[in-house]
Amino acid sequence: MTTTQTPIIFIHGLWLHATSWNTWIEKFTAEGYAPIAPGWPGDPDTVTEARENPESIADHGIDDVVEHYAGIIRGMDTAPILIGHSFGGMIAQKLLGQDLGRAAVAIDAAQIKGVLPLPLSALRATLPVFKNPANKHRAVSLTAEQFRYAFGNAIPAEESDALFEQWTIPAPGKPLFEAAAANFSPHSPAKVDTANQNRGPLLLMTGGKDHTVPEAVVRATLKQYRHSDAVTDITEFPDRGHSLTIDNGWTDVADTTLAWLRRQGL
């Protein structure tokens, strides 16, 4: 157990509400940390409110989200550990590259600028957004079937449907359009300072059955950090999909995170 109240910021990704981190907050609090899970800019406080007010979520891009969390961090007495899932994992990497976190864990993180693999499963998982260019400025919801393909493909259908009902909210399309154009844009908001030699340690996690952020994407992300001597580790959960932070096996992911933080002296 840690002896000081090290702050942690949990950062959710697209289609999940910040309260989906509640079990993680309880676990990390019990381990002596001081965790919080603020929503993205415009996120209502509850899943129900978010579903009723998609316009409040719409049109927030990557830079908006990064600055939102940077503002929260600047109000803290000490730099936090950053733990993000999916697009939250990209945001965590950007903040770490800006020296705004003492360490980061990026779980099935959305692809950053420079990552080239674009597996077909990732295209299918994000098709509900990309099928209409106008969705760049809208908030888009998934159906239970779309969620099962993008998140719940490695768990029973009944569990996937239950998680869909409990945690899903509309997601802004803008970050996906920005990430898709990243390698064609010299100043893309999806660019991360992967060459930062002085940043804190980073752990990348990948689910071997993830449709939305397949293992090939995460391993290509790892290669982007080859010019930095800072700690960059990778851990694979071969039988897990994109729901790995919220499904029945979430404690395995949380325990792996805690063990890695302890190895870093955090």
Side-chain angles (χ1 to χ4, degrees):
M1 194 179 230
T2 54
T3 55
T4 57
Q5 290 281 303
T6 302
I8 293 178
I9 294 182
F10 290 108
I11 307 173
H12 70 83
L14 300 180
W15 293 299
L16 294 181
H17 192 266
T19 51
S20 64
W21 289 113
N22 282 354
T23 54
W24 287 69
I25 287 177
E26 292 172 7
K27 186 175 184 67
F28 279 72
T29 299
E31 294 291 336
Y33 295 94
I36 57 172
W40 284 27
D43 279 4
D45 291 338
T46 68
V47 170
T48 300
E49 290 175 285
R51 291 171 179 169
E52 291 174 349
N53 299 284
E55 64 281 353
S56 70
I57 296 170
D59 217 20
H60 294 292
I62 294 169
D63 283 341
D64 300 325
V65 182
V66 170
E67 184 51 40
H68 172 72
Y69 284 99
I72 293 170
I73 293 169
R74 293 187 193 108
M76 293 178 148
D77 294 331
T78 183
I81 295 166
L82 307 163
I83 300 177
H85 172 250
S86 197
F87 257 94
M90 174 201 279
I91 302 304
Q93 291 177 75
K94 284 186 66 75
L95 292 166
L96 185 70
Q98 296 171 12
D99 297 318
L100 289 171
R102 66 177 72 188
V105 178
I107 306 167
D108 288 345
Q111 67 187 80
I112 63 175
K113 179 177 171 63
V115 171
L116 298 179
L118 189 58
L120 288 175
S121 69
L123 289 172
R124 179 177 166 185
T126 52
L127 185 61
V129 172
F130 288 128
K131 66 182 180 182
N132 186 345
N135 285 339
K136 181 175 181 178
H137 302 292
R138 296 172 176 164
V140 180
S141 297
L142 297 180
T143 65
E145 184 179 5
Q146 290 165 343
F147 178 84
R148 198 175 311 143
Y149 182 83
F151 283 78
N153 59 293
I155 56 176
E158 296 78 10
E159 182 182 4
S160 177
D161 291 347
L163 293 173
F164 171 81
E165 290 297 334
Q166 187 173 13
W167 298 125
T168 58
I169 62 172
K174 191 171 185 179
L176 279 169
F177 281 91
E178 290 174 333
N183 292 327
F184 309 99
S185 172
H187 303 294
S188 168
K191 180 176 175 57
V192 171
D193 185 2
T194 55
N196 184 343
Q197 299 282 2
N198 302 311
R199 63 163 172 82
L202 169 66
L203 174 62
L204 301 172
M205 289 189 179
T206 177
K209 293 185 177 180
D210 193 324
H211 282 164
T212 301
V213 184
E215 181 184 350
V217 171
V218 180
R219 294 202 176 274
T221 300
L222 177 65
K223 291 180 181 177
Q224 294 297 308
Y225 286 93
R226 64 190 179 277
H227 300 300
S228 173
D229 294 327
V231 172
T232 311
D233 294 330
I234 188 167
T235 296
E236 179 187 1
F237 294 90
D239 297 324
R240 306 299 296 281
H242 206 59
S243 66
L244 79 176
T245 58
I246 56 172
D247 62 32
N248 64 81
W250 73 269
T251 53
D252 294 338
V253 185
D255 287 338
T256 299
T257 300
L258 285 164
W260 181 82
L261 290 173
R262 290 177 184 128
R263 288 197 296 273
Q264 309 309 314
L266 297 168

